[in-house]
């Protein structure tokens, strides 16, 4: 009996190591996904190298289409950061055409001040000063209702790839000139985080890097675009959109 217990214990250790160790120089915590990756790639997988979905054996363009997964309930979605800690969530549109905050200067005390040579309403990108959102260059804004928050989280969390669902996007376009953001504030109105969205480049970034648009399936940005338009924050959602279906 003692021998059997020791054998079982060693077996569990080996399984745990297999689930969390690096194999072939590529770290994966999900052994199922790792086994798939091992068989579909003919070349050796190298760490920190970009592999596109198109390079996967068996890939078809229609696999990139969005499909509704019903993976997370409303309650589960609202428990995710930063929705779980925000007292107010605002959708905004603002002046674009440049990198965010390029005309905001940080002084020696760590406080942000504006470039006096540029008019505030012409500064490109979201303006955050001393942990507060500034509205000088904001074109439109809308405080999201509970229902609108539910709709937004449904888009980013419950839509994924229709095929090869375990394989997410790797790499992204360098284009990024956001004109729309979802801003998360605490009870005192101070900034918690913000998700900046560039509809022209089909790319998003957050200050904390803890939130994004979710699985970037082909129709995801059109759904986000429709969301902004429906709530009355349409500035920045129209115009030329570069063809990056997987970004």
């Amino acid at each position: 009996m003692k021998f059997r217990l020791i054998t079982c214990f060693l077996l569990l250790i080996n399984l745990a190591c297999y689930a969390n160790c690096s194999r072939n120089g590529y770290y994966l915590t999900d052994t199922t996904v790792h086994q798939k990756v091992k068989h579909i790639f003919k070349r050796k997988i190298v760490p920190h190298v970009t592999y596109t979905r198109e390079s996967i054996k068996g890939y078809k363009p229609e696999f990139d289409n969005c499909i509704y997964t019903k993976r997370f309930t409303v309650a589960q979605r609202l428990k995710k950061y930063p929705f779980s800690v925000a007292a107010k969530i605002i959708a905004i549109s603002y002046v674009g055409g440049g990198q965010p905050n390029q005309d905001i200067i940080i002084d020696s005390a760590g406080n942000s001040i504006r470039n006096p040579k540029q008019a505030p309403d012409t500064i490109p990108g979201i303006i955050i000063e001393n942990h507060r959102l500034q509205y000088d260059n904001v074109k439109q804004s809308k405080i999201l209702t509970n229902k609108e928050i539910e709709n937004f989280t449904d888009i980013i969390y419950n839509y994924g790839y229709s095929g090869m669902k375990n394989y997410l996007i790797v790499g992204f376009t360098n284009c990024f000139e956001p004109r729309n953001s979802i801003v998360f504030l605490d009870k005192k109105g101070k900034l918690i985080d913000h998700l900046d969205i560039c509809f022209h480049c089909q790319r998003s970034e957050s200050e904390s890097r803890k939130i994004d648009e979710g699985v970037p399936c082909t129709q995801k940005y059109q759904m986000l675009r429709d969301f902004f338009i429906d709530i009355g924050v349409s500035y920045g959602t129209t115009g030329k959109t570069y063809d990056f279906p997987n970004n």
Side-chain angles (χ1 to χ4, degrees), residues 214-234:
V215 177
C217 46
T218 299
Q219 295 82 16
K220 179 64 69 75
Y221 276 90
Q222 184 59 53
M223 288 187 282
L224 291 172
R225 181 181 287 106
D226 292 341
F227 172 81
F228 272 84
I229 293 173
D230 288 343
I231 64 173
V233 186
S234 60

Side-chain angles (χ1 to χ4, degrees), residues 152-165:
F152 179 74
T153 57
D154 201 30
I155 294 172
I156 65 175
Y157 292 125
N158 278 337
Y159 282 89
Y161 291 127
S162 62
M164 291 186 172
K165 301 176 184 179

Side-chain angles (χ1 to χ4, degrees), residues 105-125:
I105 304 170
I106 306 300
D107 64 18
S108 59
N111 297 315
S112 57
I113 56 176
R114 302 179 189 183
N115 187 337
K117 297 182 179 180
Q118 185 167 13
D121 61 352
T122 65
I123 296 176

Side-chain angles (χ1 to χ4, degrees), residues 90-201:
I90 307 175
I92 63 172
S93 61
Y94 43 82
V95 175
Q99 292 300 317
N101 296 335
Q102 66 179 15
D103 292 285
I104 299 296
I105 304 170
I106 306 300
D107 64 18
S108 59
N111 297 315
S112 57
I113 56 176
R114 302 179 189 183
N115 187 337
K117 297 182 179 180
Q118 185 167 13
D121 61 352
T122 65
I123 296 176
I126 185 172
I127 303 176
I128 304 296
E129 290 186 350
N130 302 319
H131 306 291
R132 291 185 180 276
L133 173 67
Q134 303 299 314
Y135 287 84
D136 299 281
N137 68 346
V138 170
K139 299 291 187 178
Q140 300 159 318
S141 66
K142 173 68 167 62
I143 299 174
L144 300 188
T145 65
N146 291 336
K147 182 62 177 176
E148 289 166 345
I149 294 172
E150 291 177 13
N151 292 341
F152 179 74
T153 57
D154 201 30
I155 294 172
I156 65 175
Y157 292 125
N158 278 337
Y159 282 89
Y161 291 127
S162 62
M164 291 186 172
K165 301 176 184 179
N166 290 329
Y167 307 107
L168 302 181
I169 182 67
V170 285
F172 50 79
T173 172
N174 289 327
C175 164
F176 191 61
E177 296 180 357
R179 291 170 172 82
N180 303 82
S181 293
I182 300 292
V183 182
F184 301 86
L185 305 177
D186 65 15
K187 294 180 179 179
K188 296 182 179 180
K190 290 188 175 182
L191 182 85
I192 297 173
D193 208 339
H194 55 96
L195 177 65
D196 304 329
I197 302 173
C198 178
F199 286 106
H200 304 285
C201 307

Side-chain angles (χ1 to χ4, degrees), residues 58-88:
Y59 167 84
K60 296 180 181 180
E62 56 265 31
F63 289 166
D64 290 341
N65 289 332
C66 292
I67 188 173
Y68 189 63
T69 64
K70 296 183 180 179
R71 184 179 179 185
F72 299 103
T73 65
V74 173
Q76 289 172 328
R77 301 196 303 264
L78 296 183
K79 286 182 180 179
K80 293 180 177 292
Y81 173 90
F83 301 96
S84 60
V85 295
K88 182 184 295 185

